[in-house]
Amino acid sequence: QVQLQESGPGLVKPSETLSLTCDVSGYSITSGYYWGWIRQPPGRDLEWIGSVHHSGGTSDNPPLKSRVTISVDTSKNQFSLKLRSVTAADTAVYSCARHGPTILDPFDSWGQGTLVIVSS
Amino acid sequence: DFQMTQSPSSLSASVGDRVTITCQATQDIDKYLSWYQQKPGRAPKLLIYDASNLETGVPSRFSGSGSGTDFTFTISSLQPEDIGTYYCQQYDHLPLTFGGGTKVEFK
């Protein structure tokens, strides 16, 4: 059974870069599927950030695209999110998840989520 | 973007009640809608995909229907373990988008 676990700093200063990693166990990233990041700011809706394929191909949500880098490390069976130039509006619970074989598939497994606060 | 409007935002029901949640898309998404359950402090869980297909292992009291722009999620007989927040999500077009969630509580 696939399991996903987010890790990274819980506090990031404004204008800095938010960096999170999602460790995948019970399934090899190279076996296929897309892997995504979703966030939920306090009191607001879930927002898809972007997704990556094990080949390295990515797709990002346009409002965040200029600040987002999602990458995969097949040797560690993990994928990562970098969000640059953060502001308080980027405070949210960040979750990683697995899609199906294509990016237009639902998320069939999710991590617990990790709260990241942007504050000086 | 394909906006998803979910209603109600919250509801209170009793054990055994039939619970219905709706999700409306701003544009036709065919059958490409999923439903998730999230319990406090837990990861979301996929319940329904392709509007009406039950994910493996999900109890049959959960069901979904609809196509195009209007979708319905139903719990036929609410159980204590069903308390949580439910979300719809469209995956017909990028960017992927979610409904605002429905919090299900006991009366």
Side-chain angles (χ1 to χ4, degrees):
Chain A
Q1 181 181 352
V2 61
Q3 292 188 312
L4 300 92
Q5 179 66 58
E6 306 87 353
S7 62
L11 181 64
V12 181
K13 289 182 169 54
S15 80
E16 295 190 345
T17 297
L18 179 160
S19 296
L20 294 174
T21 296
C22 183
D23 288 301
V24 180
S25 59
Y27 187 86
S28 172
I29 280 183
T30 59
S31 295
Y33 286 55
Y34 274 79
W35 306 86
W37 288 97
I38 303 100
R39 71 179 184 178
Q40 186 168 32
R44 298 185 62 185
D45 294 354
L46 290 163
E47 178 181 35
W48 173 66
I49 300 169
S51 299
V52 63
H53 188 257
H54 72 83
S55 63
T58 61
S59 183
D60 307 312
N61 201 340
L64 299 170
K65 192 175 182 66
S66 64
R67 299 193 291 133
V68 166
T69 299
I70 297 175
S71 59
V72 63
D73 186 336
T74 55
S75 67
K76 295 181 179 179
N77 214 44
Q78 63 182 205
F79 60 106
S80 300
L81 167 69
K82 291 189 186 300
L83 181 64
R84 295 176 290 279
S85 305
V86 297
T87 69
D90 294 310
T91 293
V93 173
Y94 286 77
S95 299
C96 58
R98 186 183 77 171
H99 290 262
T102 79
I103 201 169
L104 294 179
D105 276 310
F107 296 102
D108 65 0
S109 298
W110 295 63
Q112 284 280 93
T114 187
L115 175 63
V116 179
I117 297 172
V118 178
S119 174
S120 55
Chain B
D1 293 1
F2 285 56
Q3 303 300 323
M4 307 302 295
T5 302
Q6 194 174 331
S7 63
S9 58
S10 66
L11 65 88
S12 298
S14 301
V15 173
D17 282 353
R18 184 180 184 87
V19 169
T20 299
I21 300 168
T22 64
C23 187
Q24 187 169 53
T26 53
Q27 298 179 63
D28 190 332
I29 58 169
D30 198 345
K31 63 177 182 179
Y32 300 110
L33 183 105
S34 55
W35 291 95
Y36 302 90
Q37 174 195 63
Q38 185 173 31
K39 299 181 181 181
R42 304 280 296 275
K45 176 184 177 182
L46 176 65
L47 300 179
I48 303 280
Y49 64 95
D50 290 353
S52 61
N53 290 333
L54 205 62
E55 178 75 342
T56 303
V58 173
S60 59
R61 64 180 180 273
F62 296 101
S63 64
S65 64
S67 66
T69 60
D70 295 297
F71 300 85
T72 301
F73 172 81
T74 300
I75 307 174
S76 60
S77 177
L78 188 69
Q79 299 302 301
E81 60 267 31
D82 299 337
I83 296 308
T85 302
Y86 293 80
Y87 297 93
C88 61
Q89 181 224 333
Q90 69 81 19
Y91 48 95
D92 188 45
H93 287 268
L94 295 180
L96 307 173
T97 49
F98 294 84
T102 297
K103 188 173 184 179
V104 175
E105 300 173 307
F106 278 125
K107 275 184 186 174

